[in-house]
Coordinates of all heavy atoms in Angstrom, one line a residue:
Y4 N 23.8 -17.6 -2.7 CA 22.9 -16.6 -2.1 C 21.5 -17.2 -2.0 O 20.8 -17.2 -1.0 CB 23.0 -15.3 -2.9 CG 22.0 -14.3 -2.3 CD1 22.5 -13.3 -1.4 CD2 20.7 -14.1 -2.8 CE1 21.6 -12.4 -0.9 CE2 19.9 -13.2 -2.3 CZ 20.3 -12.3 -1.4 OH 19.5 -11.3 -0.9
R18 N 6.2 -31.1 4.8 CA 6.9 -32.0 4.0 C 6.0 -33.1 3.3 O 6.2 -33.5 2.2 CB 8.0 -32.7 4.8 CG 8.9 -33.6 3.9 CD 10.0 -34.2 4.8 NE 11.0 -33.3 5.2 CZ 12.1 -33.0 4.5 NH1 12.2 -33.5 3.3 NH2 12.9 -32.1 4.9
L22 N 0.4 -36.1 0.9 CA -0.3 -37.3 1.5 C -1.5 -36.9 2.3 O -2.2 -37.8 2.7 CB 0.7 -38.1 2.4 CG 2.0 -38.5 1.7 CD1 2.9 -39.2 2.8 CD2 1.7 -39.5 0.6
T25 N -7.9 -33.3 1.8 CA -8.1 -31.9 1.5 C -8.2 -31.1 2.7 O -7.6 -30.0 2.8 CB -9.4 -31.8 0.6 OG1 -9.3 -32.6 -0.5 CG2 -9.6 -30.3 0.2
R26 N -9.0 -31.5 3.7 CA -9.1 -30.8 5.0 C -7.8 -30.6 5.7 O -7.5 -29.5 6.2 CB -10.1 -31.5 5.9 CG -10.3 -30.8 7.2 CD -10.8 -29.4 7.1 NE -10.9 -28.7 8.4 CZ -12.0 -28.5 9.1 NH1 -13.1 -29.0 8.6 NH2 -12.0 -27.9 10.3
D36 N -0.1 -19.8 7.5 CA -0.5 -18.4 7.3 C -0.6 -17.6 8.6 O -0.3 -16.4 8.6 CB -1.8 -18.3 6.5 CG -1.7 -18.7 5.0 OD1 -0.5 -18.6 4.5 OD2 -2.7 -19.0 4.4
G65 N 5.5 14.9 -3.7 CA 6.2 13.9 -4.4 C 5.3 12.7 -4.7 O 4.1 12.7 -4.4
L70 N 7.7 -0.9 -7.3 CA 8.2 -1.7 -8.5 C 8.7 -3.1 -7.9 O 9.1 -3.2 -6.8 CB 9.3 -1.0 -9.2 CG 10.6 -0.5 -8.5 CD1 11.6 -1.7 -8.5 CD2 11.2 0.7 -9.1
V80 N 1.3 -3.0 -7.9 CA 0.3 -2.4 -8.8 C -1.1 -2.4 -8.2 O -1.8 -1.4 -8.3 CB 0.3 -3.2 -10.2 CG1 -0.8 -2.7 -11.1 CG2 1.7 -3.0 -10.9
P87 N -6.6 5.8 -5.6 CA -7.6 6.8 -6.0 C -9.0 6.6 -5.6 O -9.6 7.6 -5.0 CB -7.4 6.8 -7.6 CG -6.0 6.3 -7.8 CD -5.8 5.3 -6.7
F90 N -8.9 6.9 -1.4 CA -8.5 8.1 -0.7 C -8.7 9.4 -1.5 O -8.3 10.4 -1.1 CB -7.0 8.0 -0.3 CG -6.8 6.8 0.6 CD1 -6.1 5.7 0.2 CD2 -7.3 6.8 1.9 CE1 -5.8 4.6 1.1 CE2 -7.1 5.8 2.8 CZ -6.3 4.7 2.4
V92 N -7.2 10.4 -4.2 CA -5.9 11.0 -4.7 C -5.8 10.8 -6.2 O -6.5 10.0 -6.8 CB -4.7 10.4 -4.0 CG1 -4.8 10.7 -2.5 CG2 -4.6 8.9 -4.3
L108 N 1.3 -8.5 -15.8 CA 0.3 -8.6 -14.7 C -0.6 -9.8 -14.9 O -1.1 -10.4 -13.9 CB -0.6 -7.3 -14.8 CG 0.0 -6.0 -14.4 CD1 -0.9 -4.9 -14.7 CD2 0.3 -6.0 -12.9
E120 N 19.1 -3.2 -16.5 CA 18.9 -2.0 -17.4 C 17.5 -1.6 -17.4 O 17.2 -0.3 -17.4 CB 19.3 -2.5 -18.8 CG 20.8 -2.8 -19.0 CD 21.2 -4.1 -18.5 OE1 20.3 -4.9 -18.1 OE2 22.4 -4.4 -18.4
G139 N 11.0 -0.8 -3.5 CA 11.3 -2.0 -4.3 C 10.9 -3.3 -3.6 O 11.3 -3.5 -2.4
A142 N 10.9 -10.7 -2.9 CA 10.9 -11.6 -1.7 C 12.3 -12.0 -1.4 O 12.7 -12.1 -0.2 CB 10.0 -12.8 -2.1
A146 N 16.4 -9.4 -6.7 CA 16.0 -9.2 -8.1 C 16.8 -8.0 -8.7 O 16.8 -6.9 -8.2 CB 14.5 -8.9 -8.2
C167 N 11.2 -7.1 1.5 CA 11.5 -8.5 1.2 C 11.0 -9.4 2.3 O 10.5 -8.9 3.3 CB 13.0 -8.6 0.9 SG 14.0 -8.3 2.4
R173 N 20.5 -8.2 -0.1 CA 21.2 -7.2 -0.8 C 20.4 -5.9 -0.8 O 21.0 -4.8 -1.1 CB 21.4 -7.7 -2.3 CG 22.4 -8.9 -2.3 CD 22.4 -9.5 -3.7 NE 23.4 -10.7 -3.7 CZ 23.4 -11.6 -4.6 NH1 22.5 -11.6 -5.6 NH2 24.2 -12.6 -4.5
V221 N -8.5 10.5 6.2 CA -9.4 9.7 7.0 C -9.8 10.5 8.2 O -9.1 11.3 8.8 CB -8.6 8.4 7.5 CG1 -9.5 7.6 8.5 CG2 -8.2 7.5 6.4
L229 N -13.1 9.1 -0.2 CA -13.4 8.2 -1.3 C -14.1 8.9 -2.4 O -14.8 9.8 -2.2 CB -14.2 7.0 -0.8 CG -15.8 7.1 -0.7 CD1 -16.4 5.8 -0.6 CD2 -16.2 8.1 0.4
T232 N -17.9 6.7 -7.2 CA -17.9 6.5 -8.7 C -18.9 5.4 -9.1 O -19.0 5.2 -10.3 CB -16.5 6.2 -9.2 OG1 -16.0 5.0 -8.5 CG2 -15.6 7.4 -9.0
P252 N -31.1 9.7 6.3 CA -30.8 9.3 4.9 C -31.1 10.3 3.9 O -30.3 10.6 3.0 CB -31.6 8.0 4.7 CG -31.7 7.4 6.1 CD -31.9 8.6 7.0
R283 N -15.0 24.3 1.4 CA -13.7 24.1 0.6 C -12.6 25.0 1.1 O -11.4 24.6 1.2 CB -14.0 24.4 -0.9 CG -14.9 23.4 -1.6 CD -14.9 23.5 -3.1 NE -15.9 22.7 -3.7 CZ -17.2 23.1 -3.9 NH1 -17.6 24.3 -3.6 NH2 -18.0 22.2 -4.5
L285 N -12.3 26.1 4.2 CA -11.8 25.6 5.5 C -10.9 24.4 5.3 O -9.9 24.2 5.9 CB -13.0 25.1 6.3 CG -13.8 26.3 6.9 CD1 -15.2 25.8 7.4 CD2 -13.1 26.9 8.1
A300 N -14.1 25.8 12.2 CA -15.4 26.3 11.9 C -16.1 26.6 13.2 O -16.8 27.6 13.4 CB -16.2 25.3 11.1
K301 N -15.9 25.8 14.2 CA -16.6 26.0 15.5 C -16.1 27.2 16.2 O -16.8 27.8 17.0 CB -16.4 24.7 16.4 CG -17.2 23.5 16.0 CD -16.9 22.4 17.0 CE -17.7 21.1 16.6 NZ -17.4 20.0 17.5

Side-chain angles (χ1 to χ4, degrees):
Y4 176 92
R18 184 179 289 273
L22 301 177
T25 303
R26 177 57 185 263
D36 285 341
L70 58 87
V80 172
F90 300 111
V92 299
L108 291 171
E120 294 79 8
C167 63
R173 294 167 182 165
V221 174
L229 85 166
T232 54
R283 292 189 188 93
L285 287 166
K301 288 180 178 178

